[in-house]
Amino acid sequence: MSNRFSKTPEPPYYAVIFTNQLSAEDEGYEAMGDKMFELALEQPGCLGAESTRDNTGLGITVSYWADEEALSTWKANAKHLVAQNMGIEKWYSHYELRVAKVERAYSGPKGRSVK
Amino acid sequence: MSNRFSKTPEPPYYAVIFTNQLSAEDEGYEAMGDKMFELALEQPGCLGAESTRDNTGLGITVSYWADEEALSTWKANAKHLVAQNMGIEKWYSHYELRVAKVERAYSGPKGRSVK
């Protein structure tokens, strides 16, 4: 269970927030999605990734990156480009992708208390 | 379907990335979670929120905020504090909360092309 959380270092670092809705025509998506998730984690500068999807096909994947260079290298990765095009042409009915700089982070329940 | 995506303005703005694992003891969580989601959206400076959870109880909710002030006002909201404490004491077996500044954003599939 806990290995679905990323053990990220102290901020700052980057987060790519990818919210996406799978279309009905999602053949081949799961295998490719799993492969891209593993491939991302192998990239230099990738600090981790967290991903979940409900039974309506709405998914959120957040990947974490050391710096902008790591991010742009991953964006241009040849296997990833193939997957991106499949996503655009076939799998996703809609998506929002946001690049953000993480400024602070907390873990819990034990690492945090609310007064 | 598309109303589960947030129509956020041009960056910069803030994102709160909340990845959480529900524990087995999740009684009352769903009602409270729904209520907090709606309450967050009513807050001044809240730009939207996106949320999904798989059948293992791993959820990711990303809420979007105009500025730091809106964020800290929401963090200190009385009803939200009650929910935060319930989450810490009972509902979440683990969570990671990250505060990030969104620098750029893309929508698709039509709003973006990959060369």
Side-chain angles (χ1 to χ4, degrees):
Chain A
M1 177 188 299
S2 63
N3 61 3
R4 294 187 62 191
F5 291 93
S6 296
K7 294 201 186 307
T8 41
E10 283 296 303
Y13 52 86
Y14 284 87
V16 177
I17 305 161
F18 182 55
T19 304
N20 60 86
Q21 177 68 53
L22 282 186
S23 64
E25 197 189 350
D26 65 351
E27 192 191 337
Y29 175 77
E30 193 175 341
M32 181 69 102
D34 290 350
K35 199 182 289 183
M36 284 305 115
F37 193 87
E38 294 305 318
L39 187 62
L41 294 178
E42 293 168 9
Q43 301 306 301
C46 183
L47 305 174
E50 295 166 342
S51 189
T52 190
R53 183 180 306 281
D54 71 13
N55 59 13
T56 73
L58 187 80
I60 300 179
T61 297
V62 190
S63 56
Y64 303 101
W65 301 87
D67 50 39
E68 287 269 12
E69 190 189 349
L71 253 181
S72 50
T73 303
W74 171 236
K75 190 179 172 186
N77 176 286
K79 288 178 184 168
H80 186 206
L81 280 176
V82 172
Q84 288 175 66
N85 276 319
M86 289 285 282
I88 289 169
E89 289 168 17
K90 183 173 170 185
W91 290 321
Y92 300 124
S93 58
H94 189 77
Y95 66 75
E96 299 285 338
L97 188 149
R98 296 173 177 96
V99 179
K101 191 173 191 175
V102 178
E103 297 185 346
R104 51 190 190 275
Y106 313 89
S107 292
K110 286 170 187 168
R112 184 184 175 212
S113 65
V114 176
K115 308 292 177 198
Chain B
M1 177 187 298
S2 63
N3 61 3
R4 294 187 64 191
F5 291 92
S6 297
K7 295 201 186 306
T8 40
E10 283 296 303
Y13 51 86
Y14 283 87
V16 178
I17 306 162
F18 183 54
T19 306
N20 61 85
Q21 177 67 53
L22 283 186
S23 64
E25 197 189 348
D26 66 352
E27 192 190 337
Y29 175 78
E30 193 175 342
M32 181 69 102
D34 289 351
K35 200 182 290 181
M36 285 305 116
F37 192 88
E38 295 304 319
L39 188 62
L41 294 179
E42 293 169 7
Q43 301 305 302
C46 184
L47 305 173
E50 295 166 343
S51 189
T52 190
R53 183 181 306 281
D54 71 13
N55 58 12
T56 74
L58 187 80
I60 301 178
T61 297
V62 190
S63 57
Y64 302 101
W65 302 86
D67 51 39
E68 287 270 11
E69 190 189 349
L71 252 182
S72 51
T73 303
W74 171 235
K75 190 179 173 185
N77 176 286
K79 290 178 185 169
H80 186 206
L81 280 175
V82 172
Q84 286 175 67
N85 276 319
M86 289 285 282
I88 289 169
E89 288 168 16
K90 184 174 170 185
W91 289 320
Y92 299 124
S93 58
H94 189 76
Y95 66 76
E96 301 285 337
L97 189 149
R98 297 174 177 94
V99 179
K101 190 173 191 175
V102 178
E103 298 185 345
R104 50 190 190 276
Y106 313 87
S107 293
K110 287 172 188 167
R112 185 184 174 211
S113 64
V114 176
K115 308 291 176 198

